[in-house]
Amino acid sequence: MSVLQFVSPPLPHYIASGYTIFHPGDKHMNRRNIGVFDLLVVTRGCLFIGEEDRHYEVSGGHALILRPDRHHYPTKGCEERTEYYWLHFDTTGKWGQVEEAENERPREPSGEKTAFTMETFTMLLPQFVSLPLPKATYEPLRQLSELEQESHMSWARWKLQLIFQGLLEQLSSSLDRRTASPGAHVAEQAASYLRMHYKEEVTARQLGEALNFHPVYIARCMQKEYGVSPFDYLLRYRIEQAKLLLLQTNHSIALIAEMVGFNQAAYFASCFAKVEGIPPRTYRQRFYHI
């Protein structure tokens, strides 16, 4: 199954939408490189559509996203009354297409960053999917179609974007339910536990007992999903929290070390320098205006 992968921010943005009724024999338009994504959500009947060399039968309760840079065309006319929502959207950010088997969750970001760095994330949308809860998807589409007549108003354009983001979240969630592996869930649970308890002393045994998995299995899952061991993940998270405290408070280095889970200020300073390349005091001074 093809998956569309968007790197955000910037987020994909709404352009226009509507509701269309086809009668037997009617066909979807034949278009090439239209420059925007075209989301089709069929509520009744079936659309027969091709995109390059792939053919889709989009029946009731299914959704298809047509790419902006390809030729899409009808493979045949509708065989019965067919009703569907259509929605055009686009993005100014990076995007691409991967196959389900190649899909991996994003790893922890690497490279230099500060407490003010805007981190991107990956949004995955199924190109063709059977909707788990079709009516829940129809509702925001209905709201978008009704708001179209008010789209000349600023408040309506803002609301259109908000509703659209909720719709994208639904589509992305439908993919997560199909593709998320057990190992990915374990890694997420471990990351959540470590973030909640980063101020405390955490051992491999405690982590294993909390998640009810063997510590070795947890470590293997986190290495695969995030590229680091559980305690490297914990260390990096503690350093990130320390960076915020260095910039937002006047607390001493020793107190900050204690607040983020280090027993000794000297060890904290050593770990901080290893991760960031500079001592915590130098990091704080870099952002002070004198």
Side-chain angles (χ1 to χ4, degrees):
M1 179 185 66
S2 295
V3 178
L4 299 176
Q5 177 175 274
F6 297 83
V7 177
S8 299
L11 291 165
H13 56 269
Y14 172 90
I15 298 175
S17 65
Y19 191 72
T20 298
I21 299 176
F22 276 175
H23 299 286
D26 289 344
K27 298 179 180 179
H28 192 266
M29 296 178 65
N30 187 330
R31 298 179 295 193
R32 187 185 300 273
N33 302 335
I34 64 173
V36 295
F37 293 91
D38 190 3
L39 168 64
L40 305 173
V41 178
V42 176
T43 62
R44 174 182 176 181
C46 187
L47 289 174
F48 300 91
I49 298 178
E51 184 180 75
E52 299 294 350
D53 59 347
R54 295 190 177 186
H55 292 180
Y56 299 95
E57 294 186 8
V58 193
S59 57
H62 287 72
L64 171 68
I65 300 177
L66 298 171
R67 290 175 46 146
D69 57 348
R70 291 191 172 175
H71 177 210
H72 51 264
Y73 50 90
T75 56
K76 66 177 181 178
C78 295
E79 298 176 342
E80 57 183 315
R81 179 185 173 98
T82 298
E83 303 177 19
Y84 66 96
Y85 289 99
W86 59 268
L87 186 152
H88 291 163
F89 71 95
D90 203 5
T91 182
T92 56
K94 296 180 181 179
W95 70 276
Q97 184 167 323
V98 297
E99 294 302 316
E100 182 177 11
E102 300 171 357
N103 175 36
E104 289 186 1
R105 292 173 177 266
R107 298 183 177 221
E108 287 292 284
S110 58
E112 184 178 355
K113 64 177 183 176
T114 73
F116 305 113
T117 300
M118 173 62 75
E119 293 189 18
T120 60
F121 61 91
T122 302
M123 175 188 295
L124 300 174
L125 300 179
Q127 186 171 14
F128 179 58
V129 65
S130 175
L131 300 168
L133 299 171
K135 291 184 179 179
T137 304
Y138 300 160
E139 178 57 24
L141 286 164
R142 182 192 65 77
Q143 294 175 12
L144 290 168
S145 295
E146 290 182 352
L147 268 176
E148 267 295 312
Q149 60 185 340
E150 305 288 347
S151 61
H152 60 290
M153 305 291 290
S154 291
W155 67 266
R157 291 196 296 273
W158 183 18
K159 192 168 184 179
L160 285 166
Q161 298 302 331
L162 293 175
I163 296 172
F164 174 61
Q165 297 306 324
L167 176 62
L168 291 185
E169 184 178 12
Q170 282 194 31
L171 292 174
S172 182
S173 295
S174 70
L175 180 64
D176 287 342
R177 282 192 285 268
R178 294 180 57 176
T179 61
S181 66
H185 287 304
V186 171
E188 289 176 353
Q189 291 176 38
S192 296
Y193 181 88
L194 293 171
R195 285 171 177 258
M196 289 178 60
H197 298 274
Y198 75 95
K199 297 180 181 181
E200 309 164 16
E201 182 179 353
V202 181
T203 66
R205 180 177 178 180
Q206 288 174 328
L207 182 61
E209 290 176 350
L211 272 60
N212 200 28
F213 287 104
H214 194 283
V216 173
Y217 177 66
I218 296 173
R220 189 183 306 126
C221 292
M222 291 202 73
Q223 186 69 43
K224 179 179 180 182
E225 297 300 322
Y226 297 111
V228 293
S229 70
F231 294 100
D232 281 339
Y233 184 98
L234 177 61
L235 173 64
R236 295 183 186 187
Y237 187 72
R238 283 172 168 166
I239 296 300
E240 290 304 312
Q241 299 309 302
K243 287 162 65 177
L244 293 174
L245 291 171
L246 286 167
L247 299 180
Q248 296 173 357
T249 73
N250 291 318
H251 297 330
S252 68
I253 302 298
L255 178 57
I256 289 176
E258 182 181 345
M259 292 174 67
V260 299
F262 288 88
N263 293 327
Q264 298 179 354
Y267 180 60
F268 162 68
S270 174
C271 291
F272 191 100
K274 183 178 180 181
V275 173
E276 295 296 319
I278 55 176
R281 193 176 306 279
T282 305
Y283 181 87
R284 169 179 270 173
Q285 292 171 346
R286 175 187 287 179
F287 295 100
Y288 264 76
H289 179 71
I290 301 175

